[in-house]
């Protein structure tokens, strides 16, 4: 499975998205905090003395314009939002504050005492003598002091700021987290979720037997890598399903072919044996003997066919190990000539062999290689006319050995060439001058299986001068081996009466 691109990895995208969301959250919170502190603390960012003077001047102007001013309402509307609390004490006994709940304990009483002290009162209590606890600014209307503004000299405790800013910051943080989670879900997780759903649907369809479904491979993260792996698995399953289907069709076809081929000799045997067993049929000795010979021939054909089927099944199933060694090509050709010598002389044929170089060796199992060449030679002799020629040649070709078997028969019709190696496929009806009995139709299939198990290849074609031409490519041997025969070019000719 190919690794995803690191910057497209789902893990990295989640990590980057989390860091980006956290950074945006902190940035917005910081900006909000600055805005809130500027709005709340900004007006009170002056020193206590400056704030007291500012409020005193403002109240002086307001009272001058409206002597009946409601001081408490005025302070809440105009200064209720600022962070720093203060108190206004009037000489007529009235008092008001912009933030009554945020005043330090006892501050209003201390401010009143400080105000009387500032006015020069002689009856101050002992606790009020000394430095006042606040910065005080007088409220003067038309030259007359009517009151004073007292601002605590020390800032409010930290919990006051938390109580002021905490709820707003908490609600904003919760909103930002919700928005950020929604954005991450849409940007990061939704595409992956959509592709995972597609992959799940494809896997479900594949489980139901549909081998044509594929998952989307777009993207470069772990999901796309998983989709590619799934598609490769689906391709393998599709190929295996196609192979199983083809194998099943081949098996059914083989059963049909075997049944058909076996029925022919069995029907002949049954017919002739029933005829011989009929007491009412009077057969002379010659006819009876001819019938028995036909039964024997059909029995032999049946045995040969069954033997070829078993041999082909063992070869195609991988049964039996190959005793691989270096085999001299000249020895293989010599055994072919010895095996078919009587048939060659009987039909006045000529078998010519050629090995170049003379000590050329083939790497393989000698018995299986001889079986393959014997089948090809028997096929060539079967379809060569009387007095014809059969040519066997083995030539070195780099690391391979090219073995060819050619006859001088009518050749193979072009439309039959692609199927000559199929089981039970015969072209005898299309080939004339066939003097020898037809085989089982399995010989060429056995040849192809043997050659392929040796790592070689076999082809069928028509020779330029006429006749069929079979060529085999096999691995070349490692070197010369002791000869089991003459190792020279041989020529076996028919005995012709003069």
């Amino acid at each position: 499975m190919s690794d995803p691109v690191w910057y497209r990895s789902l893990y990295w995208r989640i990590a980057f998205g989390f860091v980006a969301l956290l950074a945006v959250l902190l940035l917005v919170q910081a900006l909000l905090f600055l805005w809130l502190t500027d709005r709340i603390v900004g007006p009170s960012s002056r020193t206590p003395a400056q704030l007291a003077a500012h409020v005193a001047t403002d109240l002086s102007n307001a009272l001058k314009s409206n002597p009946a001013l409601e001081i408490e309402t005025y302070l809440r509307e105009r200064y209720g939002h600022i962070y720093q609390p203060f108190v206004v004490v009037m000489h007529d006994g009235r008092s008001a504050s912009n933030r009554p709940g945020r005043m330090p304990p006892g501050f209003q009483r201390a401010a009143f005492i400080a105000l009387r002290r500032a006015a020069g009162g002689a009856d101050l209590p002992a606790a009020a003598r000394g430095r006042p606890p606040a910065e005080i600014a007088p409220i003067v209307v038309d030259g007359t002091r009517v009151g004073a503004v007292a601002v605590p000299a020390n800032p409010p405790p930290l919990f006051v700021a938390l109580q002021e800013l905490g709820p707003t910051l908490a609600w904003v943080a919760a909103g930002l987290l919700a928005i950020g989670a929604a954005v991450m879900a849409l940007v990061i997780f939704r595409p992956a979720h959509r592709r995972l759903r597609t992959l799940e649907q494809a896997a479900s369809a594949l489980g139901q037997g549909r081998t044509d479904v594929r998952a989307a491979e777009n993207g470069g993260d772990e999901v796309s890598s998983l989709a590619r792996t799934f598609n490769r698995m689906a391709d393998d399953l599709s190929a295996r399903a196609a192979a199983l289907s083809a194998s099943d069709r081949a098996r059914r076809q083989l059963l049909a072919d075997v049944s058909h081929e076996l029925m022919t000799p069995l029907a002949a045997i049954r017919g002739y044996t029933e005829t011989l067993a009929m007491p009412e049929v009077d057969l002379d000795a010659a006819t009876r003997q001819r019938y028995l010979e036909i039964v024997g021939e059909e029995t032999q054909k049946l045995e040969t066919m069954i033997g070829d089927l078993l041999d082909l099944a063992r070869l195609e199933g991988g049964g039996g190990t190959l005793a691989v060694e270096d085999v001299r090509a000249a020895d293989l050709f010599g055994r072919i000539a010895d095996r078919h010598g009587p048939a060659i002389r009987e039909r006045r044929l000529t078998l010519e062999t050629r090995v170049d170089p003379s000590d050329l060796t083939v790497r393989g199992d000698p018995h299986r290689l001889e079986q393959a060449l014997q089948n090809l030679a028997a096929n060539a002799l079967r379809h060569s006319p009387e007095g014809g020629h059969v040519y066997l040649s083995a030539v070195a070709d780099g690391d391979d050995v090219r073995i060819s078997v050619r006859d001088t028969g009518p050749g193979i019709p072009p439309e039959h060439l692609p199927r000559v190696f199929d089981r039970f496929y015969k072209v005898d009806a299309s080939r004339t001058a066939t003097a020898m009995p037809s085989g089982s139709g399995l010989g060429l299939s056995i040849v192809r299986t043997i050659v392929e198990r040796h790592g070689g290849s076999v082809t069928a074609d028509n020779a330029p001068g006429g006749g069929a031409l079979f060529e085999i490519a096999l691995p070349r041997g490692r070197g010369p081996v002791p000869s089991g025969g003459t190792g020279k070019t041989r020529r076996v000719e028919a005995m012709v009466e003069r």
Side-chain angles (χ1 to χ4, degrees):
M1 182 179 70
S2 59
D3 295 331
V5 183
W6 72 269
Y7 57 85
R8 291 184 177 177
S9 171
L10 189 60
Y11 301 109
W12 283 107
R13 288 169 61 187
I14 294 174
F16 288 154
F18 175 77
V19 172
L21 175 63
L22 185 61
V24 171
L25 176 62
L26 292 176
L27 178 61
V28 174
Q29 285 282 64
L31 294 176
L32 179 64
F33 180 79
L34 292 176
W35 178 77
L36 289 175
T37 53
D38 179 71
R39 181 177 178 271
I40 296 175
V41 184
S44 60
S45 60
R46 305 174 180 88
T47 63
Q50 291 174 340
L51 179 60
H54 173 75
V55 175
T57 302
D58 184 46
L59 282 175
S60 297
N61 295 330
L63 288 172
K64 186 177 181 180
S65 301
N66 183 15
L69 178 67
E70 183 65 34
I71 298 176
E72 186 174 357
T73 303
Y74 181 80
L75 292 180
R76 282 200 305 266
E77 292 177 353
R78 189 169 179 84
Y79 298 102
H81 65 280
I82 68 172
Y83 176 67
Q84 179 69 48
F86 59 86
V87 65
V88 174
V89 181
M90 306 300 290
H91 285 286
D92 57 6
R94 291 181 300 166
S95 64
S97 175
N98 66 326
R99 302 170 71 82
R102 298 292 183 261
M103 295 299 296
F107 178 77
Q108 191 167 350
R109 175 176 174 77
F112 182 75
I113 295 173
L115 177 62
R116 292 183 61 187
R117 180 182 179 185
D123 55 344
L124 290 174
R129 300 192 185 111
R131 184 177 180 182
E135 296 291 340
I136 299 175
I139 302 174
V140 180
V141 178
D142 295 331
T144 303
R145 180 180 293 182
V146 297
V149 178
V151 180
N154 299 319
L158 180 61
F159 75 88
V160 176
L162 294 178
Q163 290 177 351
E164 293 289 338
L165 304 179
T168 303
L169 293 177
W171 280 109
V172 173
L176 288 175
L177 284 176
I179 295 174
V183 171
M184 288 187 65
L186 292 175
V187 174
I188 297 177
F189 295 105
R190 185 177 181 182
H193 176 264
R194 184 168 55 249
R195 289 184 286 132
L196 283 173
R197 289 287 298 173
T198 304
L199 183 59
E200 179 187 2
Q201 294 171 0
S204 177
L206 184 64
Q208 295 174 1
R210 291 180 52 194
T211 58
D212 58 332
V213 294
R214 296 296 182 270
E217 299 183 6
N218 57 308
D221 54 9
E222 291 78 5
V223 179
S224 61
S225 181
L226 179 62
R228 285 192 293 272
T229 303
F230 172 83
N231 290 340
R232 285 196 294 269
M233 179 190 68
D235 291 338
D236 293 340
L237 289 177
S238 179
R240 293 182 182 182
L244 287 176
S245 179
S247 177
D248 184 66
R249 289 194 301 270
R251 179 183 61 83
R252 294 175 183 272
Q253 185 63 38
L254 176 61
L255 289 176
D257 293 341
V258 169
S259 301
H260 175 74
E261 294 295 330
L262 293 179
M263 283 300 297
T264 302
L266 285 175
I269 293 173
R270 180 179 179 180
Y272 283 107
T273 53
E274 288 179 352
T275 301
L276 291 172
M278 290 180 180
E280 65 274 13
V281 178
D282 187 14
L283 300 175
D284 56 57
T287 302
R288 182 178 296 273
Q289 182 62 32
R290 183 164 59 85
Y291 285 1
L292 290 174
E293 290 177 356
I294 293 175
V295 170
E297 291 175 358
E298 295 298 329
T299 303
Q300 180 64 35
K301 185 183 297 184
L302 190 61
E303 291 178 355
T304 301
M305 188 183 304
I306 294 174
D308 288 343
L309 279 172
L310 293 175
D311 200 14
L312 184 61
R314 282 194 297 267
L315 288 170
E316 291 184 345
T321 57
L322 298 177
V324 179
E325 59 182 68
D326 288 347
V327 185
R328 287 174 55 88
D331 293 343
L332 292 174
F333 289 171
R335 287 192 286 270
I336 291 173
D338 296 337
R339 166 68 175 80
H340 297 283
I344 293 173
R345 288 186 290 270
E346 180 182 353
R347 299 186 51 226
R348 304 173 186 271
L349 300 176
T350 300
L351 175 66
E352 294 188 10
T353 63
R354 172 175 170 264
V355 180
D356 185 21
S358 59
D359 58 354
L360 183 63
T361 58
V362 180
R363 189 72 179 167
D365 187 313
H367 300 292
R368 290 300 184 183
L369 292 179
E370 181 181 351
Q371 180 184 7
L373 291 178
Q374 292 283 11
N375 286 351
L376 289 179
N379 186 73
L381 294 171
R382 182 182 302 114
H383 298 289
S384 293
E386 186 172 349
H389 288 69
V390 175
Y391 303 92
L392 304 179
S393 68
V395 181
D397 185 12
D399 294 333
D400 296 333
V401 175
R402 293 202 169 273
I403 300 175
S404 62
V405 179
R406 181 168 64 90
D407 60 53
T408 55
I412 305 173
E415 64 272 15
H416 294 283
L417 284 174
R419 299 192 58 192
V420 294
F421 293 104
D422 293 348
R423 301 184 188 96
F424 299 111
Y425 192 78
K426 302 177 184 180
V427 293
D428 291 346
S430 303
R431 303 177 68 171
T432 58
T434 301
M436 297 179 67
S438 175
S440 64
L442 297 172
L444 295 182
S445 297
I446 294 175
V447 171
R448 181 178 61 181
T449 305
I450 291 175
V451 172
E452 289 179 351
R453 284 201 63 183
H454 281 79
S457 61
V458 58
T459 59
D461 204 348
N462 289 312
L469 172 63
F470 291 87
E471 290 187 329
I472 298 176
L474 291 170
R476 186 174 179 178
R478 300 173 183 173
V481 295
S483 174
T486 61
K488 298 179 181 179
T489 301
R490 301 183 57 180
R491 182 182 179 90
V492 181
E493 296 182 344
M495 298 289 293
V496 181
E497 293 182 2
R498 298 185 183 275

